[in-house]
């Protein structure tokens, strides 16, 4: 074969190879790869900055773990309840109650001095309190009294008075001074109470009368079991209107011995104040009509009379 023929054959082979590569490329085209996702997308031409992840908070290794029963900061302490027998005041700021755990001291909380003012000792009471640690000694807790009430039997069946002592020592506040005086047991129409020697008591009429001035008295009436409080209030308004201006007693006008009375009305004139009080004592309803002239014996009559009423026991 001559040189020219050989050269023409080489050109033909090269041309065929180029055409084969072109056909292969057209028939076997690979899909284009998706562009990478931009971690900082652009919105309206402004690129949002990447916020770094916040580190996990570390626990304070120096902080003491909270123990069960410990007060949590920012929360009120747990209110606890109990029952027992009121013994009396330990000092001006604390009292003693005989509980199932034995004699127990309680510090008086806010406004508790008035709450115990009418208590004479030996009353069955229900109470509420909370505990707080004693500064300087984490092992000790102080009980703070927040509420105390005399327990009522609620049965309406009365109590056994055969075991009541003939006399009772009672503490009174007279002319700003506390005194302890002896009261003797007296029986009325289905109830008993303790009275002081400045009084006479008529069991038939239920009249507790001051000896030095008989215009000072309390008339005690035992109510039937189906009495209506609204009707009693209406009766009180009618009776007291004869004395003068009638009003419902405010909280600070209620004697602590009967502060929870359902009806506590006052009629006041120039020479006389009369009170109409309906209350339940020992599961029994009573009306107390208290007659208080505006004379010198008033200061002694009121504390003695209400202290006696607080001792009523239903039979």
């Amino acid at each position: 074969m001559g040189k020219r023929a050989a050269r023409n054959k080489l050109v033909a082979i090269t041309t065929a190879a180029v055409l084969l590569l072109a056909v292969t490329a057209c028939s076997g085209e690979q899909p284009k790869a998706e562009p990478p996702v931009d971690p900082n997308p652009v919105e309206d031409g402004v690129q949002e900055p990447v916020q770094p992840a916040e580190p996990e908070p570390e626990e304070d290794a120096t902080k003491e773990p909270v123990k069960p029963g410990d007060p949590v900061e920012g929360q009120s302490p747990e209110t606890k309840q109990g029952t027992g027998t009121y013994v009396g005041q330990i000092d001006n700021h604390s009292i003693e109650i005989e509980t199932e755990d034995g004699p127990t001291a309680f510090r008086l909380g806010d406004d508790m001095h008035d709450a115990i003012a009418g208590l004479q000792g030996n009353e069955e009471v229900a109470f509420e309190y909370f505990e707080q640690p004693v500064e300087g000694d984490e092992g000790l807790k102080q009980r703070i009294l927040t509420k105390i009430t005399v327990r009522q039997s609620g049965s309406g069946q009365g109590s056994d008075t055969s075991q009541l002592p003939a006399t009772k020592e009672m503490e009174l506040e007279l002319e700003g001074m506390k005194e302890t005086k002896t009261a003797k047991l007296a029986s009325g129409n289905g109830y008993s109470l303790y009275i002081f020697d400045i009084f006479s008591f008529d069991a038939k009429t239920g009249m507790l009368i001051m000896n030095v001035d008989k215009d000072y008295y309390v008339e005690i009436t035992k109510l039937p079991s189906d009495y209506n409080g609204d009707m009693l209030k209406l009766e009180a308004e009618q009776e007291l209107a004869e004395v003068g201006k009638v009003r419902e007693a405010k909280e600070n006008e209620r004697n602590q011995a009967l502060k929870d009375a359902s009806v506590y009305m006052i009629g006041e004139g120039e020479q006389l104040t009369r009170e109409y009080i309906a209350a339940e004592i020992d599961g029994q309803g009573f009306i107390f009509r208290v007659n208080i002239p505006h004379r010198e014996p008033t200061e002694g009559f009121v504390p003695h009379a209400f202290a006696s009423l607080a001792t009523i026991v239903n039979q």
Side-chain angles (χ1 to χ4, degrees), residues 5-313:
R7 185 167 54 252
N8 290 337
K9 185 178 183 180
L10 179 60
V11 171
I13 293 173
T14 301
T15 300
V18 171
L19 291 173
L20 179 62
L21 289 173
V23 172
T24 303
C26 290
S27 62
E29 184 178 358
Q30 299 295 322
K32 296 180 181 180
E34 293 290 334
V37 178
D38 188 350
N40 299 319
V42 176
E43 294 183 7
D44 298 332
V46 180
Q47 186 173 0
E48 294 292 335
V50 177
Q51 299 295 334
E54 296 184 1
E56 293 291 332
E58 297 182 2
E59 293 187 2
D60 187 355
T62 62
K63 189 175 181 180
E64 291 289 336
V66 177
K67 301 176 182 178
D70 286 351
V72 178
E73 185 176 356
Q75 295 184 4
S76 300
E78 178 187 1
T79 298
K80 300 184 177 182
Q81 299 176 333
T83 58
T85 303
Y86 177 74
V87 177
Q89 285 191 248
I90 299 173
D91 53 38
N92 290 335
H93 305 289
S94 56
I95 64 169
E96 181 178 305
I97 299 176
E98 183 77 27
T99 70
E100 59 182 8
D101 297 324
T104 306
F106 294 84
R107 187 173 181 82
L108 296 175
D110 295 339
D111 302 324
M112 290 306 298
H113 288 85
D114 290 341
I116 67 167
L119 301 180
Q120 306 298 325
N122 205 37
E123 292 96 340
E124 295 299 315
V125 295
F127 55 88
E128 294 182 2
Y129 68 99
F130 66 88
E131 295 180 338
Q132 67 180 19
V134 176
E135 186 175 356
D137 192 337
E138 296 181 357
L140 293 178
K141 291 186 181 295
Q142 188 176 49
R143 298 174 179 87
I144 309 299
L145 191 71
T146 58
K147 184 178 181 180
I148 185 169
T149 55
V150 177
R151 296 178 65 189
Q152 308 292 347
S153 67
S155 65
Q157 299 300 315
S159 303
D160 182 11
T161 60
S162 62
Q163 301 301 318
L164 292 176
T167 60
K168 183 176 183 178
E169 297 297 311
M170 299 168 63
E171 188 176 70
L172 302 172
E173 185 169 334
L174 303 171
E175 299 182 355
M177 302 291 292
K178 290 187 176 181
E179 296 184 19
T180 300
K181 301 188 69 174
T182 302
K184 63 180 181 179
L185 185 65
S187 295
N189 182 22
Y191 59 90
S192 295
L193 76 165
Y194 286 89
I195 65 172
F196 298 94
D197 57 6
I198 66 170
F199 290 123
S200 297
F201 181 67
D202 188 331
K204 292 182 179 180
T205 62
M207 298 288 287
L208 182 67
I209 303 170
M210 197 173 192
N211 295 329
V212 69
D213 188 336
K214 298 186 183 303
D215 288 338
Y216 287 88
Y217 64 83
V218 181
E219 181 182 352
I220 304 171
T221 303
K222 197 172 182 180
L223 287 167
S225 59
D226 59 347
Y227 72 89
N228 184 298
D230 292 335
M231 295 299 296
L232 294 181
K233 187 174 181 179
L234 181 61
E235 180 182 70
E237 292 173 346
Q238 293 173 345
E239 289 186 11
L240 298 179
E242 300 175 1
V243 177
K245 186 177 180 180
V246 181
R247 68 181 187 275
E248 189 168 357
K250 299 178 181 178
E251 185 174 352
N252 62 352
E253 294 178 313
R254 292 177 173 233
N255 189 282
Q256 288 298 310
L258 297 172
K259 63 184 180 64
D260 295 325
S262 58
V263 178
Y264 204 126
M265 304 293 292
I266 298 175
E268 190 168 19
E270 293 184 2
Q271 303 296 326
L272 175 67
T273 294
R274 186 173 293 165
E275 298 179 352
Y276 182 111
I277 306 168
E280 280 204 6
I281 298 179
D282 198 26
Q284 170 63 46
F286 290 89
I287 296 175
F288 305 106
R289 294 176 172 89
V290 188
N291 205 68
I292 312 171
H294 298 170
R295 296 198 283 266
E296 186 177 350
T298 298
E299 191 168 354
F301 169 76
V302 172
H304 283 88
F306 279 93
S308 289
L309 298 180
T311 66
I312 286 182
V313 177

